Amino acid sequence: MASATGKTVVRDAEGTRARILAAACMQFGARGFANTGVRDIAAEASVNPALVLRYFGSKEALFRAALDHSIFMDPVLELEPAKMGRQVVEIFLAADEMPSPLSMMILSAGDPTAHAISVRALDEKVIRPLADYLGPPHAEARAACLNLLWSGFLTAWKLLPIAPLSDDRLPMIATWLADATQAIVDGRFGPTGSPSGS
């Protein structure tokens, strides 16, 4: 495309889309769905608000795309099952911030549309892949238990910090979290809280 000066202007559609997605993850993760407007995301991405709608169609579609983009389970699903408890906790402790998809979902839960999008994303991008990774018995229930365990820990540590998770107590809690995670992965902890099979 030629500009008014006669120079060729190259439009970086993929780069613009990526900037909008990154801005959406940041804004939704910090403010939730209801408190974030298209203009906020456009300002964060340094684009015209019309471009946000051009690329994604609506704020709801952008929220869906932001969740799909930010929920990335591959690092967890590539772990060796026998060492998953310790290694997944190492991943959590190495993170500087609250994972954006979790904060996006929690802060947006009050909006019915965002809630439905979050439930779908959680099922499709977290529970089902985890269940496939874990295998029988009770794969989906064990995947749900892991999600509950990890989400609760991350929420109480990063989003709504509680005193018992202060720095001096964190190693003890991390050891417990690794052991509880490994028990679920190994199938030693059934979905009802009793050993599997009983």
Side-chain angles (χ1 to χ4, degrees):
M1 175 181 172
S3 69
T5 61
K7 294 182 179 178
T8 301
V9 176
V10 178
R11 290 190 175 175
D12 181 11
E14 285 303 311
T16 300
R17 189 178 192 280
R19 281 203 327 274
I20 293 169
L21 264 180
C25 291
M26 184 175 295
Q27 290 290 319
F28 289 137
R31 303 169 63 189
F33 180 82
N35 294 321
T36 300
V38 169
R39 289 183 180 279
D40 301 316
I41 294 165
E44 182 75 36
S46 300
V47 299
N48 187 296
L51 268 183
V52 175
L53 297 177
R54 178 179 164 194
Y55 278 90
F56 294 96
S58 67
K59 188 172 89 165
E60 291 80 6
L62 178 53
F63 183 72
R64 183 180 298 110
L67 276 180
D68 287 345
H69 173 75
S70 62
I71 298 176
F72 189 65
M73 289 294 292
D74 286 2
V76 172
L77 301 178
E78 291 168 358
L79 297 176
E80 183 182 338
K83 299 177 181 176
M84 186 188 202
R86 178 178 52 81
Q87 292 177 342
V88 81
V89 171
E90 288 173 358
I91 291 172
F92 291 159
L93 297 181
D96 293 331
E97 299 177 353
M98 176 79 166
S100 66
L102 183 56
S103 60
M104 273 193 271
M105 288 186 279
I106 290 171
L107 294 174
S108 302
D111 181 272
T113 300
H115 178 267
I117 292 169
S118 296
V119 168
R120 178 207 55 86
L122 193 58
D123 180 60
E124 291 179 2
K125 306 274 291 184
V126 178
I127 302 299
R128 288 187 199 175
L130 262 178
D132 290 343
Y133 172 91
L134 293 169
H138 312 298
E140 287 189 1
R142 286 161 59 220
C145 287
L146 286 177
N147 179 68
L148 177 66
L149 184 66
W150 297 342
S151 297
F153 168 74
L154 291 168
T155 300
W157 181 37
K158 294 289 188 180
L159 188 63
L160 298 168
I162 58 174
L165 285 177
S166 59
D167 290 342
D168 58 328
R169 296 184 181 127
L170 194 55
M172 176 185 68
I173 301 293
T175 299
W176 167 81
L177 182 63
D179 290 345
T181 294
Q182 195 62 53
I184 296 169
V185 172
D186 293 345
R188 293 182 281 118
F189 179 81
T192 62
S194 59
S196 292
S198 61

